[in-house]
Structure formats: C-alpha cells, structure tokens
Amino acid sequence: MAQLTDARSLGAAPDLSEHQRASLSGRIVQALRGKPGLTTGLLLLPGTLWMLLTVGTALVSIVVFSFWTSGFTGLRPEYTLANYQSLLRPGSSFWGITVWTLQVVAMLLIGVILLAYPVSYTLWRVIKSPYWKSALLLLFIVPFWTSYLTRTITWLPMFGREGVVNQVLMGLRITDEPVEVLLYSEFSMMVALWFLFIVFMVGPIYFSMQRIDEDIMSAAAVYGASPWKTFFLVVVPLTLPGLMAGSLFVVVLGLAEFFTERAIGGAQSPMLAGLIQRQIDVFQFAGASAIAVVLILITLALVGLMLRFFDIRRI
Amino acid sequence: MDGYDVELRNATKRFGDVVAVDDVDLAVKTGEFVSIIGPSGCGKTTTMRMIAGLDQPDSGEIIIRGKPMQGVPPYERNVALVFQSFALFPHLDVLGNVEFGLRMHGVDKTSRRERARRALRTVGLEGFEKRRVGQLSGGQRQRVALARALVVEPALILLDEPLGSLDARLRVDMQSELKSLQQQLGITFIHVSHNQGEALAMADRIVVMNEGRFEQIDPPADIYGSPRTRFVAQFVGTNNIFEGPVAGADGNRLTVSTPAGDLVVAANGAAAGRDRLSFVVRADRVRWLEDGRSADNELPATVLAIEYTGSLSTISLSLPSGELVKMEQHESLLRHRAPRHGETLRVGWDAGDGFVLPDA
C-alpha cells in the first residue's frame, strides 16, 4: 500500500495530511491541482505587476503629459494636441533632427559592425592562447561595467586641443598645430559613439562565432573556400544571430543617445533624445513628452522591423 | 609516379614533444580503397588531416596526383573529406551543401545544380534538395556529406570515421553501400577508423597504425591472417599470442616452451634461425576437442566467460598455467552442447594454425 502511494505521488501532487489540508498553503495547493494554466498565470503575476508599476506607470505618464500644456510653473493638465501639431508641422526642425538621428544610428550600426567583426574574428581564431583570449575579451567587457558618463568624459583629456593625442602628434612633429576635428565635431562624436557601442556588438558576435564547429571551418576549406570566402559565406551567415542581438542593443541604445553629442559633438547637432533634453532645459515638459512618445514609436517600429527580418528566438 | 593518387614520403608531424605521425610512407593507387586503422591517438586522424592540408607535415612530402603539396592550402587541393560529425553547413539546405564545392570553384549555376542533383541521386536522396540540414536523420546527413564529397570529382575522398555516428544497423548497410559506390565510381578512398570490422569489410588495403608509425600495410586477408607485428595481431581480430624459447625442431615443426607449456607451431620464413619467438593462434582456430578428437596441441582449459555475439561466441578460457586463451565457436556448433561457466574443456589446435610473428 505504501509503495502504491509512492508510485502515484511521482506523477501527481503528494497526498496531503489533515494538518496540511487545513492550512492556507495546503488549501492553495489543493485548489491549483490539475490547473497548470492558472498556476503559470499566478507565477507570472508578481513580475508582471512589478513591470506594470515601474515601466508601465512611466510610459503612461509620458503619454498623458504629451497631451498636457506646459506653463511657466510646470505642466498644466489642460488637454491639447498643440504639442504634436507644432512638432509634426511641415518645416518643423523635428523632421531634420529625426533624419539626422536615423543617419547617426545607421552610421553607428554600420561602423560598429565593421569594427566588431575583425575584432571578434581575431579573438576567436587569430589569438590562440586562452590566456590572451580572456585578457583581451575582458578589455572589451570592463568598459561595459564602467559608467557611460565616465567613458564619455574620458575622451575629453584624450582628444582636446591640449589632449594626449594632440600632444603626441605635435611631439612627433606630425602636425604643427593641434588637430581641431578630434573634439567638438560630428566626426569626433561618431568616433566616440563607435567606441562606446562596440562592446554591445563584439560580445554577441564573438560568442556566436565560438559556437561554430571547428569541423565546419575545415569543411569550408576542404571544399574550396579561401579564408575570405569562408568568412563571408560561412562565418557571417552563422553569426547572424549574434549580429542581430548586437544590432538590437545598438539601435535601441543609439536612438536614446544624447550625452555624447553634447560632451564630444559640441552640442551642435542634437538627435531626438538630445532634443528632449533641450526641451526639458527650458521647462517644456509637454513638448519633451511628445518627442519622447514619437521616439518610442520610432524605436518600436525599428525593433519590429528588425525582428520581422530575423527571428530572435533563433539566438 | 603515374597511377598513384596520393603518396606520403617520410611524412612526419609533431605537436610539441609528441610525434603524432612518425616518418610514414604510403602510396595509394587510383581507385584504391585504403583503410587506416589504429587505436585513438595513433596518428591516423593527423595523417588524414595532412593529406587534406588541414595540417602541414613538419618534414617529408605529400604528393597528390604527382604534385607536391608543400604549401598548398586545403582549398586548392581537390581533396574531399567526409567528417565524422558530417560538418554540414547548418545555414544551407541540402542542395546548398552539396553544391558548395562547385560554387567555390566557380562552376555556373545551371551545371552545378545539375551535378548536385545527380550526386544526390547517387546517394539516394532525390527530392531532399530543399530540406534543411536540421531536419535530416543521421543516415541522411551522412549521405548529404557523401554527395558533397562526390560532386566535386576529387582526386580522392578522405573519410574520417564515416560510420562512427550511425547506429549499428545503419552502419552495416552504409558499409556495403560505401564499398559498392566506391567500386562503381572508381574514386580513391582513404578511410580512417578505429573499427577493424569496417576496414576488413571495405578496404582493398589496410594500414595498421600505432604510435605514429605504420605497423603493416597489406590486403585485409593478410592483415587478418598474417599479422607482421605483435601489435597488429593484438589489434586486428581476436588472437592468442604465445612467446618463448625454441626447444626443438622436427622438420617443419618447432616446439616452443611457452608459459602455457610446450607448443608446436609450423615454421615459416620469419622463424629461421631464431632461438626465441612469438606466434599467434587466431581464436577461430582454437577448437573444442570433444569425443576423443585430437590436435597437435591439446590443453585443458576452464571456461571464464562466454561472450555471445550472434553467429559467433567468444569463449574466454583459463589454462592451468594461468594464461588466458580465447576461442571463437560458431553458434551451430554450440547449439547441441554449450559450455558452462567453470566447466573444464579440452581445447587444442594444430601446428599449422600457429603463425610465427616476424618481429621478436
């Protein structure tokens, strides 16, 4: 008899004693028995509530604020479409800034991909010693743990008029005068962005390269593919999941980028996120919210497009 | 030089202090099926990788169709390799995998499609062109890998444990298929395996490899029947090896004092002038002497274990001296009277069943 009970309890919830049956938890277990859907729902509930409370509240507030009116003392709950009308009217600077934002994100993505592939490939196949592999990979990952602001600000003493790079260039007599384009230019902003974001691409690409079977690489060589052909026809297709994961990071975070443009780009060519900040600087909270809503929609559209093009579940 | 697809001349490969392949020579004729067998770590895979160009020999030469391969990368060698893991490209469908080699060599789309389809037909995978590699069974992947090798019309096809990842039943089927395919197409095959059964079944010649060296290169019957070294005798087939000083000679028969007792063995060329020798008695030559049958060598032996493998049973026996002897008996002989554990049998073999090993 005892054995029979054991065998049955392997497949089902154990039989409860009278004491357990009477307790609250015992009654919950009884009520959920044989209802896996309800159990799953209950397990998801705390996380869902937390997300709704934090992200959800913030999102809803921004959407609501975008229909309010900005006043000298702050937001007034007077509903209006004026924020969107002035933002989206033909000839508004919003359009140019949106195009510029998309351009920057595109250049950022392309640059980061072009930089990340050689770096990942070198880490994967050129460097043989596992010691050096981990050391170099760590060099890429440590900045990831450093504050974003710190990483940006360290560019200033490097690339300023009196910065390290100019000192070296002038010391070596490569130039007579400090090179100005190194700081406070669109070029310097782009360079800084590439180096800020490369970590998001090197990681995923390197890890998906590591998953390529050594025999697959040998097979490519044996069947006539030179190292270049192997790279483009075998390695790149097989690292698309990593490329996609990295691209999602870069696009989403790139669209939200505002600080680099200010600190290193010289605050001359804001992107959408920078525009939000400038609105807030002059207390235009409603206008800022409207831009934020549009930026969120653009982000969602781009992410949706990327996911349509590539199934994230394959990663 | 003509008529050889591959030649190895004094090929040597070291990994640090380890000599993986030690000064080996081999010439494989066009259309020949050569199996390289040996225990794991014997250097057979390295030998194969050197032929494919995936590893470079430290010294010696590899010559493919008369051309020295020094410095020639794998992608310019016209050698195909069937991997144990199959190594199909997971991002390509079956057709994409099969035509990969042709695409790399710049064959135009129409003719490479046609050749790939023909190769798929040869391996019995017609209609699988659009399947993804992930949807295929092990046996089907094996066939795709084979079609990918055949389609490039290589100088030779290397097969690395090609049947290693297949289940037992499929392995036997693929074995005969591979052999008949190879004979039909007349392509040179070099097959690497640790499985002597595969090699005996398929190869025209077998190379037995041990610790980086080629111990013996001979047709299967000779490898099996006349092993040249103790290692070959131990590795191929089920053999009993006896060793001891020569105690007497009577015409063509030598008496050897082995730990198992004085045994007679037929002399061969290898035995001439030696005062100490070892000889091999194959397990299938050891007979169970029932009902007063006799043999040149007769011994009482106790049954330790009976290993049943279908048509054959391998019986491990212990001699009074403590030596072990293996005896293979056909199932039909054991049907009416099977030996039991612990039972003492009279076993024996004739002088002619022994084969004196050329080495020591």
Side-chain angles (χ1 to χ4, degrees):
Chain A
M1 190 58 214
Q3 272 174 335
L4 268 176
T5 314
D6 283 351
R8 248 186 302 140
S9 65
L10 284 175
D15 284 339
L16 302 169
S17 69
E18 279 310 312
H19 170 70
Q20 281 171 318
R21 227 183 278 274
S23 73
L24 176 66
S25 57
R27 267 179 284 159
I28 293 173
V29 169
Q30 278 289 340
L32 289 177
R33 184 175 289 188
K35 292 170 192 153
L38 185 63
T39 311
T40 313
L42 280 174
L43 285 171
L44 286 173
L45 192 64
T48 315
L49 279 179
W50 178 251
M51 288 300 286
L52 277 176
L53 205 70
T54 52
V55 180
T57 316
L59 264 177
V60 169
S61 318
I62 287 171
V63 173
V64 171
F65 294 161
S66 73
F67 292 102
W68 285 5
T69 308
S70 297
F72 292 111
T73 52
L75 279 167
R76 285 203 312 271
E78 293 164 14
Y79 287 90
T80 171
L81 287 175
N83 300 317
Y84 287 102
Q85 277 163 351
S86 72
L87 189 67
L88 302 176
R89 70 166 200 280
S92 150
S93 62
F94 165 81
W95 298 110
I97 289 173
T98 302
V99 170
W100 168 241
T101 305
L102 293 176
Q103 275 176 344
V104 169
V105 170
M107 282 191 291
L108 173 60
L109 185 60
I110 291 167
V112 163
I113 291 171
L114 292 181
L115 284 169
Y117 263 105
V119 168
S120 312
Y121 190 86
T122 308
L123 277 175
W124 177 44
R125 286 192 89 73
V126 180
I127 294 160
K128 302 272 187 236
S129 132
Y131 172 80
W132 279 108
K133 251 186 226 266
S134 337
L136 288 170
L137 194 64
L138 210 62
L139 274 183
F140 275 91
I141 290 173
V142 165
F144 187 65
W145 294 331
T146 332
S147 156
Y148 161 76
L149 298 184
T150 316
R151 274 189 290 157
T152 310
I153 287 169
T154 46
W155 282 83
L156 302 178
M158 285 293 288
F159 290 97
R161 267 184 71 88
E162 313 290 320
V164 176
V165 173
N166 269 327
Q167 299 277 350
V168 170
L169 287 178
M170 279 157 55
L172 293 173
R173 306 233 171 273
I174 294 171
T175 59
D176 294 331
E177 288 175 17
V179 180
E180 301 275 357
V181 76
L182 289 177
L183 204 57
Y184 306 133
S185 68
E186 285 170 3
F187 169 77
S188 67
M189 178 186 83
M190 238 21 261
V191 173
L193 284 176
W194 286 330
F195 284 93
L196 277 175
F197 279 83
I198 187 173
V199 63
F200 296 113
M201 200 56 97
V202 168
I205 289 180
Y206 173 71
F207 289 118
S208 57
M209 278 179 178
Q210 270 197 319
R211 284 167 57 182
I212 300 177
D213 186 356
E214 199 45 51
D215 279 353
I216 297 271
M217 297 299 285
S218 299
V222 165
Y223 288 107
S226 63
W228 282 107
K229 282 184 181 169
T230 305
F231 179 79
F232 286 108
L233 298 173
V234 177
V235 175
V236 170
L238 289 178
T239 50
L240 279 183
L243 176 66
M244 206 56 203
S247 301
L248 282 173
F249 277 122
V250 170
V251 167
V252 171
L253 297 172
L255 281 170
E257 173 60 45
F258 69 97
F259 186 71
T260 309
E261 179 267 322
R262 274 210 154 177
I264 296 169
Q268 300 147 6
S269 32
M271 295 194 284
L272 280 175
L275 195 61
I276 296 174
Q277 205 207 6
R278 283 164 172 77
Q279 293 272 305
I280 289 172
D281 287 347
V282 292
F283 303 110
Q284 293 296 313
F285 295 114
S289 296
I291 303 169
V293 169
V294 174
L295 182 55
I296 289 168
L297 291 178
I298 291 175
T299 309
L300 286 177
L302 278 182
V303 170
L305 201 70
M306 288 165 83
L307 292 184
R308 230 188 128 76
F309 173 70
F310 194 88
D311 186 357
I312 190 119
R313 280 168 298 185
R314 275 179 57 188
I315 292 173
Chain B
M1 198 173 83
D2 267 357
Y4 289 118
D5 272 342
V6 195
E7 290 165 87
L8 305 181
R9 291 189 192 153
N10 310 106
T12 300
K13 177 73 187 175
R14 289 182 202 86
F15 293 111
D17 291 337
V18 183
V19 185
V21 176
D22 190 1
D23 195 20
V24 299
D25 290 276
L26 176 69
V28 180
K29 292 191 270 301
T30 299
E32 201 178 8
F33 195 138
V34 170
S35 286
I36 303 178
I37 60 173
S40 51
C42 72
K44 56 189 193 294
T45 299
T46 306
T47 306
M48 187 203 67
R49 288 177 59 87
M50 284 197 295
I51 297 172
L54 297 168
D55 280 327
Q56 298 296 327
D58 292 313
S59 60
E61 268 190 306
I62 288 166
I63 294 155
I64 294 177
R65 293 212 169 146
K67 283 195 206 99
M69 285 292 123
Q70 180 68 34
V72 179
Y75 50 92
E76 286 169 10
R77 283 198 181 194
N78 194 26
V79 167
L81 205 167
V82 176
F83 293 82
Q84 179 174 13
S85 65
F86 311 139
L88 300 178
F89 301 115
H91 60 296
L92 300 175
D93 59 12
V94 168
L95 191 67
N97 267 282
V98 176
E99 62 175 19
F100 185 87
L102 299 174
R103 204 168 122 213
M104 292 307 106
H105 290 113
V107 176
D108 70 89
K109 197 167 175 172
T110 342
S111 66
R112 76 174 188 239
R113 280 282 137 91
E114 208 226 290
R115 284 168 69 180
R117 279 177 209 281
R118 209 184 317 144
L120 280 171
R121 207 176 311 140
T122 311
V123 299
L125 278 185
E126 244 178 323
F128 281 73
E129 287 82 356
K130 289 291 154 207
R131 293 280 186 96
R132 297 222 127 241
V133 170
Q135 301 171 314
L136 302 177
S137 71
Q140 288 166 341
R141 282 175 209 212
Q142 172 70 76
R143 285 160 198 273
V144 175
L146 203 57
R148 178 173 69 173
L150 293 173
V151 78
V152 294
E153 291 167 9
L156 73 148
I157 297 182
L158 297 160
L159 303 112
D160 184 15
E161 303 271 2
L163 311 176
S165 344
L166 303 180
D167 59 60
R169 160 122 202 97
L170 198 55
R171 196 177 303 176
V172 177
D173 292 348
M174 276 307 278
Q175 203 167 284
S176 53
E177 253 184 76
L178 267 181
K179 178 65 186 166
S180 61
L181 196 65
Q182 187 266 344
Q183 282 175 333
Q184 244 175 61
L185 301 172
I187 298 179
T188 309
F189 271 32
I190 296 181
H191 159 246
V192 164
S193 177
H194 66 274
N195 184 327
Q196 41 142 326
E198 266 175 47
L200 290 169
M202 297 193 290
D204 298 320
R205 277 196 302 162
I206 294 178
V207 179
V208 182
M209 205 170 172
N210 183 38
E211 291 178 347
R213 294 183 153 274
F214 289 173
E215 296 262 336
Q216 186 171 355
I217 308 176
D218 269 319
D222 292 350
I223 295 277
Y224 190 72
S226 331
R228 290 187 56 80
T229 68
R230 178 180 274 264
F231 175 81
V232 176
Q234 281 165 338
F235 190 75
V236 182
T238 309
N239 288 311
N240 300 296
I241 301 176
F242 299 97
E243 188 182 354
V246 179
D250 172 17
N252 201 28
R253 292 148 67 104
L254 302 171
T255 305
V256 183
S257 294
T258 73
D262 283 359
L263 300 173
V264 287
V265 60
N268 60 11
R274 304 241 304 261
D275 49 12
R276 187 180 178 85
L277 47 81
S278 38
F279 64 94
V280 174
V281 180
R282 266 157 50 186
D284 58 355
R285 296 296 181 92
V286 178
R287 282 174 290 146
W288 181 7
L289 303 172
E290 279 183 297
D291 320 325
R293 278 191 279 170
S294 66
D296 293 344
N297 298 292
E298 293 182 9
L299 298 160
T302 309
V303 177
L304 288 180
I306 301 170
E307 196 187 325
Y308 177 75
T309 55
S311 61
L312 281 180
S313 286
T314 305
I315 301 161
S316 298
L317 301 159
S318 158
L319 300 178
S321 61
E323 298 278 297
L324 291 181
V325 168
K326 294 214 175 208
M327 173 170 79
E328 266 178 13
Q329 292 285 291
H330 209 270
E331 188 262 342
S332 60
L333 290 173
L334 297 179
R335 200 178 299 150
H336 60 284
R337 166 139 159 57
R340 286 181 303 274
H341 286 270
E343 187 182 351
T344 300
L345 314 173
R346 216 159 51 86
V347 300
W349 61 90
D350 287 330
D353 293 327
F355 175 80
V356 178
L357 287 172
D359 78 332

